[in-house]
Amino acid sequence: MQIHILTLFPELMEAPFRHSMMKRAIEKGHLHLYIHNIRNWSTNKHNQVDDTQYGGGAGMVMMPEPIARCLDELQAETPFDEIIFVTPDGELLDQPTANRLSGTQNIAILCGHYKGVDQRIREKYITKEVSIGNYVLTGGELAAAVIADAVVRLIPGVLGDETSALEDSFQDGLLSPPVYTRPADFRGIPVPEVLQSGHTANIATWRHEQALIRTRERRPELYEKFMQGE
Ligand code: ADE
C-alpha cells in the first residue's frame, strides 16, 4: 500500500514511522510511505504557501495552488483511491473506517495548518475529511500519523500474529478484556485462576464476559449497539 502525506512540516512525520510496527511494515514492503513538503510546489519566489483570509480575520490560510500542483503531479503517476484531509470538522475516525482504508492501494493525506486550507481544494480534490477526535490540534500531522498507524497495522502480514488485529478492541464491537503476564502473583494481586487453567473454552468464555463488562461500564453506547446485534 502507498501512503502519501502532504505537509508543511515533513520532519514531524518522521519519528512515528521509524520504530516498531510501522518501521517493519516499511522494511517488509507492505507500506510505501512518501512524505511531501508542500512548499516544494510553491510557485512563489519566496516559497510562500499561505496567505491572509478573504473577508478579513486573524490567521493565515493555506494557498490552493501548491497543494493542487502537488496532487496533480502525484496523481499523474498513480491515481489515489482516497485523498483525505485531516481536520477537526471531519468525520470521526473509527475502526470500520480504518478497516476500509487498509483495503486501498494508494491514499493521500493532506495535513492542514494555520487557519485551514482554501475551501476550493476541499471541494475539488478531497474525497474524505477525517477527524481523530473532538479537540483541536495545532496541525494535521499527528492526526495523519494516527490514521496511518491505525490503517497500516491492518494490512495482512504487518502484525506478526495474523489473528491479533482481529482481536483488537472495536473489531467485534466490544472493548478488549484485561490481559496479564508473569508473575502469577504481583504484590499480592493474583492473575485470575481461569487464565492459568489451560482450559481454552473456559478462557474464551471468561474473556468474552470481561469484554462485555468492560464495554458496558466504559462505553455504554457501544454495549447497546452490540447487544442489539446479538
Ligand atoms: N487538525 C487539527 N485538529 C484535528 C483533529 N482533531 N483531527 C484531525 N485533524 C486535526
Side-chain angles (χ1 to χ4, degrees):
M1 177 182 192
Q2 290 190 26
I3 299 184
H4 294 258
I5 297 179
L6 281 64
T7 170
L8 292 174
F9 299 94
E11 297 83 5
L12 264 180
M13 297 310 310
E14 284 167 16
F17 299 97
R18 272 219 214 109
H19 305 276
S20 180
M21 216 58 85
M22 295 301 111
K23 179 183 173 195
R24 241 193 301 145
I26 292 171
E27 285 172 355
K28 287 207 249 165
H30 295 299
L31 171 64
H32 301 277
L33 178 73
Y34 304 93
I35 311 290
H36 305 287
N37 187 343
I38 297 167
R39 213 172 279 284
N40 294 339
W41 279 268
S42 171
T43 49
N44 188 291
K45 69 170 186 272
H46 304 294
N47 280 347
Q48 189 186 355
V49 287
D50 60 336
D51 208 340
T52 53
Q53 283 193 63
Y54 271 107
M60 303 292 270
V61 174
M62 286 168 68
M63 296 155 68
E65 194 59 38
I67 298 169
R69 278 161 44 91
C70 177
L71 287 170
D72 287 345
E73 191 178 315
L74 298 174
Q75 297 243 64
E77 227 161 274
T78 321
F80 290 117
D81 299 313
E82 294 277 11
I83 303 179
I84 298 167
F85 177 47
V86 281
T87 171
D89 59 11
E91 202 178 293
L92 273 182
L93 179 67
D94 58 11
Q95 197 61 47
T97 303
N99 291 348
R100 222 171 316 110
L101 290 172
S102 76
T104 61
Q105 294 300 312
N106 188 30
I107 63 172
I109 308 179
L110 171 63
C111 303
H113 252 273
Y114 316 123
K115 198 79 194 165
V117 167
D118 188 287
Q119 180 61 24
R120 291 163 292 185
I121 286 293
R122 294 173 74 161
E123 286 167 13
K124 189 165 156 49
Y125 287 90
I126 300 301
T127 61
K128 192 171 188 58
E129 301 197 331
V130 178
S131 166
I132 63 159
N134 292 327
Y135 41 81
V136 179
L137 304 166
T138 48
E141 283 74 13
L142 296 178
V146 165
I147 295 170
D149 188 297
V151 168
V152 170
R153 64 191 293 287
L154 297 171
I155 300 171
V158 168
L159 295 187
D161 176 359
E162 280 292 334
T163 61
S164 58
L166 295 175
E167 290 170 4
D168 286 341
S169 278
F170 302 112
Q171 280 297 11
D172 60 3
L174 293 175
L175 302 182
S176 293
V179 293
Y180 297 85
T181 185
R182 274 180 281 274
D185 186 302
F186 169 66
R187 301 184 181 181
I189 311 168
V191 170
E193 227 161 83
V194 60
L195 295 180
Q196 303 180 61
S197 69
H199 193 298
T200 318
N202 287 355
I203 291 171
T205 304
W206 182 87
R207 284 183 170 151
H208 185 64
E209 284 166 3
Q210 293 295 316
L212 285 170
I213 292 169
R214 194 172 260 196
T215 309
R216 191 182 61 216
E217 285 175 359
R218 298 180 181 200
R219 299 293 299 274
E221 83 290 0
L222 287 182
Y223 180 77
E224 285 307 315
K225 202 165 156 199
F226 179 80
M227 294 312 277
Q228 278 159 20
E230 279 276 274

